[in-house]
Each structure stands twice: as C-alpha cells, then as structure tokens.
Amino acid sequence: MKTYLLGGAAALALSLAACGQKAETSEEDAVIAGAEVSEEESEGLPEIIVTDAELEGNPFRQEWDTPYGVPPFAEIQDAHYLPATRKAVLELRADIDAIVSNPDAPTFENTIVALDGAGASLDKVIRVFSNITSTDTNDTLRDLEAEIWPMLTREQTAISFNPELFERVKAVYEQRDRLGLDEQDARLLELTHRDFVRNGADLAPGVKTQVAKINEEMSGLTTEFGRNLLLSTKDFKIEITDEAELVGLSEDFKGALKVKGEDKWVLTVDRSVYETFMTQSENRDLRAKMFDGYRLRASEGEYDNGPLAIKIAQLRAKKAELMGYKSHAHYQLETRMAKTPEAAEEFLLRVWEPGLKRAKQERADMQEMVGGEFQIAGHDWWYYSEKVRQARYAFDDNALKPYFELGAVRQGVFDVTSKLFNISFEPVEVEAWNPIVKSWTVTDNETGEYLGLFMADMYARDSKRGGAWMSSYRGASDVDGDNVRPIVTNNLNLIQPVEGEPTLMRFDEVETLFHEFGHGMHGMLTQIRYKTFFGVNGPRDYTEFPAQILEHWAGAPEVLSTFATHYETGEPIPLELIDKMNAAATFNQGFKTTEYIAAALLDLRWHMLTSEEAAQITNAREFEKKVLEEYGLIPEIEPRYRTQYFSHVFAGGYSAGYYAYLWSEILDADGFTAFRESGDIFDPELAAQLKKWVYEAGGLREADELYRNFRGSDPTIEPLLQIRGFGEEKPSEG
C-alpha cells in the first residue's frame, strides 16, 4: 500500500517507517516548495510563498459538497497540487506553532489531541495526490512527486526534532498515570511519545542534523527508485504480428492482448499478463524473452536501480547507527511482533527448509516430464508446473475461470463479510478518478450506522503502478463528536477484456481480491477515534493478518458454491472441480514458498548490514547473488523480487519487513483453524471476536494482545505448515 499521512500530519511527522516510501534528495538537489535552500535556512525550514492568485479556484481550498465527501476529481488538475500542498504545509506549521506557543501548561487535549489533528488540509491534498500518482500518473505528476515528497520530509523531520514540542509531549507523558485517561486516550499518548523518541527527538543536536540530511536524501532516492521501476516496466513491450507465435494462449487472453483494429498483439510485463502468458504459452523462446524482460527490469541503462538500492541501504544503515541501533532491521523490528531480525530470519528458515526441499522435487517432476529434450530453466517453471498439475490431478486451472467472473467474485466477498460482520453493501453512482471505478456504501445492519464508502479500481493500465493494494482517500476519526467515516479503495491490475466480454479471473486473482478486501474492511470497520492508530495502522507483521485470513473463505467449498457460477449458464461450480482444486492446492508450494522467502531473506540481509558493512557494497547484483547462494536457492527459481525492482522495500514501507506476509500467515492459518474447529466457518461468537479485536481495533493494543483476545491463545506454526503441505516435514532445529 502507498504510505503517506496515514494518521494525519501528526502521524506523518511521527512515523518515519510509515513514510519510507516517500519520506526519504540530496541536499544539492533538494528544492523545497520552489525555493532553493540557503545557508541561512539550512538550520530551519525554508520560506514558503504561495499567493492568493495561485490558489484561486483550487478545489483543495474549498469544502467538498460532494456525495460522501469524495474528492471532486473532474475539477482537480495537475497544476492544483503544488500550490495546495504549499498552503497546507504553512497551515501545518501554524498548527504546530499554536501547540508549542500555547501559554497554558501541556495537557492531553492541548498537546496530544491537538497534534493528532494537526495538518488536516495537508492530509486532504496528499491523500488525493498519493492515490492518483499510483493509479493515473503522468510525466507532470512524476516531476511533482520529486518536489512534494522531499518537501514533506523536511516538515516531518522539523516536527520530530522540535525540542519545545517534544518537551510538551514528554510533560504529558510523565504524568500519564494521573490523568484519568481511557484506553484510547492512553494509547494515543503512549504511541505519540514512543514515535517521537524513535524518530530521534532525544538525539544530540549535531546528530539530529545528520539524520535530517539522511531523511531528505532518502526521499529523493526512494522516489527515483519507484519512478525508474514504473518507467522500466511500461517500457518493455513485445509486439507480435504472427498469431502462430501465441500458440497455447486462450482465446480470451489473446483477445485482451490484441491491439484494437490491427493484426497485432502486445505483451507486457504487468504481473497479470506475465503470469498468464508464462503459464499458457507453448513458445519457449518467447517465454524466455518475457522471463528476462520481467526479471531484468530497472537493472540497466537510465533506469538502473542497483546504485539507488545500495545508496538507500547505506543511508538507512548510517541512520540506524546514529540512532543507536546495530542496523536498520534492528530499528525497524523493535516495535513489531518479530522484535529482532534474527527472530524473523529464524522463522523464515523454518519454512524455507521444507519449502526448498519440495521445490527440488517439483523441479525433478518437471524434468521427468520433458525428459532429455532440454534442461528445465526458470522460464519453464510456470508452464511445466501447470502441465504436471494437469497430469497429476486431472485439473486445469483454466477450467476454473468461467466460474470466476469479476462481478460474481465481488458479490461473493460482499456476502462473506456481510455474514461475518453483519454489514451490507449498496452500489452507488459516485464520480471517481477513472470511469472504470465502481463504488458502494457500507452500513452496519444492527445499528444502521454508515461505515464508509468503498471504491474499486480493478484493471491495469499504463498510468497505473503494478500489483494490488488498499488505500484511502479519507481516514476515520471520531474526536469531539465529529464522526468522520473513511473512503476506502481497492486496486487490482486485472487484464481488461475485449468490450462486451466478461472479466474472468484465475483463482489466485480471486484470492488477491479477497485479500485486498480484507485490508479494506480493516480500514472500513475501524472504531478508533484517533487518526494515529485507526484502521490499518499497526506493525507490518500484523496488518497483513486481517487481509490474509479472508483469503481462506475464498476457497472454502461452502462459500465457492454460493458465488462461483458459470458466467454463461449460471450453473454453480461442480463439487468435483472444487475437490480437484483443493486436492491440488498444495501443488507447486515449494516454488511459491521458496520464491517468496528468498525475497524476504534478501530484504532482511540488505537491512541487517551495519553502516560499515553497507559502505563496502558496490554491486547490488553481486550482493544479491552471494546472499541467495548462501541460503541454497536453486538457479531455476528467481526471488519474487530482485533488488532492482523490490519496490516494497526500496520505494515502499516494507523495509526489513517483507517477511511480514509469512509471519501474518501464522496468524491467519491459526485463526481460520479456529473457525474450522468450531464446525462453522461463520461461527457467530468467533466472528464477533474477530470483528471486535481485529477489524475494529486498529492499533488499540499491541498486536500479540489483539490476536490473543480474538483467538484466546497464542498462534502456533503447525497450521501454516499444514496448509502449505509441509505438515509431514520435520524442519531441523535452529
């Protein structure tokens, strides 16, 4: 997910890790709010000048009298973002000055609550800017990112290092036991103080200056990394004029690739296109070209991200050292469930060992199928693993697609969450950022309360970044009776079918839709009053849990029978096909487990480097190869993300935290097991606990406590191993 102002400007200021995506240009390149940084200003903030004429007619300076408070997208132009951001930054400064200069003694209300609510106008513009640059970007917006994100980094650092502000926060914190705070108040105070300390508020002045410079430089580097990846991905295209080269591809997939009005088909390395092509295509040479096109993105020429990744890792390591930590990973994991990178690595290796063993067997099975004709290579894995699965289970994944039409799948996830959480969805016509977006209101059936607006953007396009994510155009809060409900979005990158044809999905895409909807419900159902810890705000190795547990309902036979109907006949999916799908569920888990954990280990090793060790790295690919060889990765499997296109960690908020998906899988596997053991996957008592302690609770308590309150006990790893088909394996100690 895009990370920005997740809890308002205060959270921007207090959560450097949450802003890793954008919160990290060298000083000589930094142009803040259109003004060069002078020597006189280097110790403070640069002057920002924005005129009334620049703001005239700017929709961000107006109240939005729109249905559900949706931004007036048709009125927002690229030229509006920069002046609106400048003005909002000035208002944020005024909010902070008002807190600091308050003549009254520091109190919870005039300091902590005021800080949580600071920068409302900045929150308004940055949420829109951040979302649009992910879904409908262009050259102008990319240039604006390089200016706006460093500007916000400067403001963020200034707030974190404001000594008068921290003194007020500390004064309130030191009397916390005498203030009579309720649980949410106490949690806000705890997190505010903790984040100030972790962001360096107690550092010596000289160290603060160094950290501030690092923050600023990283902002430019991470923005450039993401830009290079997007441009490199969109730059790669293979044009096919001979249909015979597309042998093996399904007719609907070929139709989606065809250029309208021409006898030409275009292949890209957008993930949905890439995976479908690599699974279906019989053209081995073309598979090899696609394989190299995907794995070599942003690895050479003007878009080479290798030097950027090295510099980012070096700066993160140096910053961690300045703040008293052994490495960036040690800093990041201190407040997460894993606690230390060593613990995260140990956990990953417990699953890596049986996964790698299984992957080697999968490779042998494919080699047996092709015989001595050629040696199985990385570009063969998707295609031949599907052939082995078809032979072993008499099951073709393409046979499922007619039963997974997008509208039916979406209704399926609506029905599941309605039954679990007693909520309802009503389609509404709302102006959105793109004509393909669809919207629904969400309502609590018991109270009749409006919970928020859900908006879905399902299709890939050149202006949209890859992958799938949840985000929001407005967060939730409930301070002083002003109950603000969220505007939540889900984004996928499905292949848009030919006009008039249905959108048919692979089952892994169905699971992705359920996954992102789980994030969406985490943001939608929140009952937290403060922006700092509402909804999805929380440690990375926990916030994937509410998304991943919902995936289990996607494949449950009793759920599939309700929404998986043939798009032409309306017939429900045959039980025989469900049985075959479930029998094949653990097939190729060696590959899936190994490619994922390889990336997670790579992330940890980049960020476990000390400052001295990081300074010795000169070639990103050589470092990557050395690390993966140490763990024994076989050459036929690429890590899910190579360093040069690992945007989660070098342009996103997951640095030293990509392991979180698997860590959260301990929770989701254990949690869904509770539903299975109850005899009812919609067990009302368990569902009520899941809703209260997970989806509604945000960051109310530490993650392990929230899980125990739902489950009644700590999770165990056995359900995870069982679900992946490794239950019979006995991983070695250590």
Side-chain angles (χ1 to χ4, degrees), residues 663-726:
W663 188 282
S664 290
E665 196 174 327
I666 300 176
L667 308 181
D668 73 70
D670 185 76
F672 190 72
T673 295
F675 280 94
R676 276 290 177 214
E677 290 175 345
S678 76
D680 178 8
I681 62 170
F682 293 100
D683 180 84
E685 185 176 342
L686 275 173
Q689 292 295 96
L690 182 66
K691 182 181 181 183
K692 176 180 179 180
W693 290 111
V694 178
Y695 289 92
E696 291 183 341
L700 180 62
R701 300 182 185 178
E702 294 300 301
D704 55 350
E705 184 179 353
L706 290 174
Y707 185 83
R708 280 193 298 272
N709 288 344
F710 149 61
R711 182 68 164 95
S713 61
D714 287 320
T716 63
I717 198 173
E718 283 71 24
L720 180 154
L721 296 174
Q722 195 69 41
I723 285 172
R724 286 187 172 249
F726 305 150

Side-chain angles (χ1 to χ4, degrees), residues 476-647:
S477 61
D478 189 8
V479 180
D480 296 329
D482 183 17
N483 188 9
V484 178
R485 297 309 302 172
I487 299 172
V488 168
T489 76
N490 272 180
N491 291 269
L492 269 64
N493 268 280
L494 301 177
I495 302 168
Q496 191 157 9
V498 176
E499 187 175 352
E501 294 297 313
T503 302
L504 304 180
M505 304 171 66
R506 304 190 312 267
F507 183 66
D508 65 319
E509 293 172 330
V510 173
E511 289 183 308
T512 298
L513 187 148
F514 271 71
H515 177 103
E516 297 306 332
F517 200 75
H519 281 309
M521 289 300 96
H522 199 192
M524 186 71 68
L525 299 179
T526 183
Q527 293 299 316
I528 298 301
R529 72 174 70 107
Y530 296 114
K531 297 176 183 178
T532 296
F533 60 99
F534 85 95
V536 299
N537 295 347
R540 290 291 184 195
D541 47 13
Y542 174 78
T543 54
E544 290 302 325
F545 162 54
Q548 290 178 189
I549 193 172
L550 205 60
E551 293 181 43
H552 292 276
W553 277 271
E558 55 267 58
V559 173
L560 283 170
S561 64
T562 67
F563 78 84
T565 56
H566 198 284
Y567 78 99
E568 290 180 316
T569 68
E571 291 295 315
I573 188 170
L575 182 60
E576 176 188 7
L577 199 53
I578 296 177
D579 289 342
K580 286 182 178 181
M581 183 181 78
N582 288 333
T586 60
F587 180 77
N588 208 35
Q589 274 296 332
F591 169 80
K592 293 177 181 178
T593 299
T594 302
E595 64 142 12
Y596 163 76
I597 295 181
L601 289 167
L602 184 60
D603 167 36
L604 279 178
R605 290 289 292 273
W606 269 114
H607 293 106
M608 289 172 72
L609 294 169
T610 65
S611 179
E612 183 178 351
E613 291 168 339
Q616 304 304 311
I617 308 297
T618 58
N619 185 296
R621 180 57 182 156
E622 288 304 314
F623 174 78
E624 178 180 271
K625 287 172 61 177
K626 179 177 180 293
V627 167
L628 297 175
E629 286 170 1
E630 285 178 16
Y631 290 115
L633 179 67
I634 58 178
E636 295 81 5
I637 296 181
E638 289 280 323
R640 185 173 297 179
Y641 296 101
R642 276 190 173 194
T643 297
Q644 283 91 336
Y645 57 90
F646 208 164
S647 60

Side-chain angles (χ1 to χ4, degrees), residues 184-339:
Q184 292 203 35
D185 293 345
R187 183 63 168 168
L188 176 63
L189 176 55
E190 176 191 3
L191 293 177
T192 301
H193 180 265
R194 185 179 80 180
D195 289 341
F196 262 104
V197 172
R198 282 179 50 77
N199 285 348
D202 271 339
L203 296 175
V207 178
K208 287 182 180 179
T209 300
Q210 294 180 71
V211 170
K213 289 181 178 179
I214 288 173
N215 290 344
E216 203 172 327
E217 186 170 1
M218 284 197 292
S219 179
L221 293 171
T222 54
T223 298
E224 186 179 357
F225 188 102
R227 176 176 179 155
N228 283 350
L229 176 55
L230 176 64
L231 293 174
S232 175
T233 300
K234 301 306 179 186
D235 215 32
F236 182 89
K237 287 181 172 64
I238 299 177
E239 293 189 355
I240 306 295
T241 55
D242 182 359
E243 191 172 358
E245 290 193 64
L246 303 178
V247 60
L249 303 190
S250 63
E251 290 303 316
D252 65 314
F253 183 47
K254 280 198 296 185
L257 298 176
K258 195 172 187 299
V259 178
K260 190 173 182 179
E262 299 183 51
D263 287 330
K264 183 168 67 175
W265 296 260
V266 175
L267 296 170
T268 69
V269 285
D270 288 325
R271 189 72 181 185
S272 290
V273 173
Y274 175 75
E275 289 186 3
T276 304
F277 179 85
M278 297 299 286
T279 302
Q280 294 184 2
S281 176
E282 297 176 21
N283 188 329
R284 190 167 188 250
D285 290 340
L286 199 51
R287 288 203 313 269
K289 290 179 182 178
M290 285 287 283
F291 184 70
D292 286 342
Y294 187 84
R295 68 183 182 141
L296 298 179
R297 288 176 296 155
S299 64
E300 58 187 4
E302 63 177 315
Y303 300 139
D304 188 359
N305 272 337
L308 295 181
I310 292 171
K311 187 61 176 176
I312 291 167
Q314 290 171 341
L315 289 171
R316 286 172 174 168
K318 181 60 178 177
K319 177 180 170 181
E321 180 183 71
L322 290 170
M323 297 184 70
Y325 292 87
K326 181 179 179 181
S327 72
H328 178 72
H330 286 84
Y331 168 77
Q332 289 286 79
L333 271 63
E334 182 181 51
T335 58
R336 299 181 183 177
M337 295 186 77
K339 303 303 181 189

Side-chain angles (χ1 to χ4, degrees), residues 147-215:
E147 185 166 359
I148 285 176
W149 295 120
M151 183 197 312
L152 299 186
T153 299
R154 179 74 66 88
E155 301 299 321
Q156 174 192 47
T157 301
I159 295 172
S160 295
F161 290 169
N162 187 314
E164 292 87 359
L165 181 60
F166 180 54
E167 283 304 314
R168 291 185 69 91
V169 169
K170 187 160 62 172
V172 180
Y173 181 75
E174 288 174 348
Q175 54 179 317
R176 61 193 179 279
D177 295 334
R178 305 189 299 275
L179 299 178
L181 303 177
D182 69 14
E183 184 174 22
Q184 292 203 35
D185 293 345
R187 183 63 168 168
L188 176 63
L189 176 55
E190 176 191 3
L191 293 177
T192 301
H193 180 265
R194 185 179 80 180
D195 289 341
F196 262 104
V197 172
R198 282 179 50 77
N199 285 348
D202 271 339
L203 296 175
V207 178
K208 287 182 180 179
T209 300
Q210 294 180 71
V211 170
K213 289 181 178 179
I214 288 173
N215 290 344

